[in-house]
Amino acid sequence: TISSISSDNTGITIAWNGIALVDGYIIYRSEDGVNYNEIANVTNGNTYKDVNVKYNKTYYYMIKTYHVKNGTTYKSDGGNAISGKKEVGTPTGFSVVSTDVGKVNLSWDNISYAKGYTLYRSFTYANGTKITEQKVADIAAGVNSYTANVSDLEEGGTVIFYLKAYDIENGIKVYGKNTSVSVFIKFKPVENIRWYVNEGYLYAIWDEYECNTMTVTGYSIWGYNVKTGGSITSTRDTSAEKIILPSYNPSNEYYITVQARNAMNTIFT
């Protein structure tokens, strides 16, 4: 009885547990699970690799032992058949290396025999509306990273990237199964933050935030004094100007962070 079956880009390998006092093993193969033909006679070892197979086609295997005595060959019953097929591998290690505004950097482990990869994506808006799978790019063999442009996608949604490897058989691309990774499209940051000092108070100014998917109702501002470790948090609901550190000391160093808020008082930038 066949104990295991596996495949790679060169064929299908079957293995079985060896039996004492037999002269060999006859391997049978079927393409429909009914009609079997002998394809090999194995007299040494307990594995066989069938290289005369095509991608994504299911093959069925059965094995019989035989013993020769006084010139007569005695065969066992075939036992249970097992099926398998040659498939292009699925890339492992598919992950997001880093993200930036409008960009997602992806990487994966290279498949040595792959003739290339194809990257797809789907997208779900913040309101739940979905865009079905779309092709992003064909990627050359040997390449294991790609920077995807997502500047056309709305903030607050989720994009799923799908990666497939392919081999070429008889001049046709044959794809393996896809692997996927999802990425939340971050909201762009509040831009052009400036500051000035007036009468001993530190003020922050920034560009008004515009967003297609969220209504901005206010801002949250943080001022950090990195020399003393102190911080003050304050909120502004109207104009983009706020005294954030009334205890301003020109001898200290400060960092300013501004984030937009929506009506639910949720910070989303």
Side-chain angles (χ1 to χ4, degrees):
T1 301
I2 298 172
S3 58
S4 66
I5 188 166
S6 60
S7 68
D8 58 21
N9 64 306
T10 61
I12 298 173
T13 299
I14 60 173
W16 58 90
N17 296 322
I19 299 176
L21 304 178
V22 299
D23 293 308
Y25 307 88
I26 301 174
I27 313 301
Y28 297 85
R29 188 185 76 184
S30 170
E31 296 184 9
D32 59 9
V34 177
N35 302 297
Y36 285 84
N37 297 309
E38 180 180 335
I39 60 171
N41 186 334
V42 179
T43 58
N44 184 23
N46 60 341
T47 63
Y48 173 75
K49 187 167 190 174
D50 185 7
V51 298
N52 296 310
V53 294
K54 296 180 179 180
Y55 273 121
N56 297 332
K57 182 177 178 63
T58 299
Y59 297 89
Y60 303 84
Y61 296 90
M62 182 173 60
I63 185 170
K64 294 182 180 182
T65 63
Y66 70 90
H67 176 62
V68 179
K69 183 177 181 179
N70 298 326
T72 301
T73 300
Y74 298 90
K75 299 179 182 179
S76 68
D77 293 332
N80 294 329
I82 191 170
S83 64
K85 57 184 174 181
K86 182 176 76 168
E87 296 177 304
V88 177
T90 301
T92 60
F94 188 41
S95 61
V96 176
V97 177
S98 61
T99 60
D100 199 352
V101 176
K103 296 180 180 179
V104 176
N105 298 309
L106 304 165
S107 72
W108 57 91
D109 299 327
N110 187 46
I111 296 178
S112 60
Y113 62 83
K115 298 301 189 296
Y117 305 88
T118 301
L119 184 69
Y120 304 83
R121 78 178 189 188
S122 63
F123 184 69
T124 302
Y125 290 91
N127 63 8
T129 302
K130 295 183 178 181
I131 297 178
T132 56
E133 189 174 302
Q134 300 172 327
K135 181 178 177 179
V136 176
D138 286 317
I139 302 168
V143 176
N144 67 341
S145 64
Y146 184 81
T147 298
N149 178 19
V150 293
S151 61
D152 60 317
L153 301 178
E154 287 191 356
E155 301 127 324
T158 299
V159 59
I160 301 178
F161 291 101
Y162 306 88
L163 183 70
K164 297 180 181 179
Y166 67 85
D167 199 355
I168 295 178
E169 184 177 71
N170 299 325
I172 299 174
K173 287 183 180 180
V174 180
Y175 284 92
K177 296 177 181 178
N178 70 51
T179 181
S180 63
V181 65
S182 62
V183 184
F184 177 75
I185 303 300
K186 296 180 179 179
F187 291 91
K188 65 182 180 180
V190 175
E191 297 178 334
N192 198 22
I193 301 174
R194 297 93 68 199
W195 63 274
Y196 67 93
V197 178
N198 183 27
E199 297 181 354
Y201 290 89
L202 181 64
Y203 290 75
I205 307 172
W206 56 90
D207 292 347
E208 290 286 358
Y209 193 85
E210 295 181 359
C211 180
N212 294 328
T213 58
M214 290 286 182
T215 300
V216 179
T217 60
Y219 300 88
S220 291
I221 306 97
W222 285 266
Y224 298 95
N225 182 334
V226 297
K227 290 186 177 180
T228 64
S231 65
I232 297 176
T233 301
S234 54
T235 302
R236 183 75 167 183
D237 289 331
T238 53
S239 67
E241 180 177 317
K242 180 66 181 180
I243 303 171
I244 60 171
L245 290 176
S247 57
Y248 172 73
N249 185 336
S251 64
N252 289 338
E253 183 178 11
Y254 297 95
Y255 285 92
I256 299 171
T257 299
V258 180
Q259 292 181 296
R261 295 184 294 106
N262 61 17
M264 299 296 293
N265 207 33
T266 300
I267 297 172
F268 57 88
T269 58

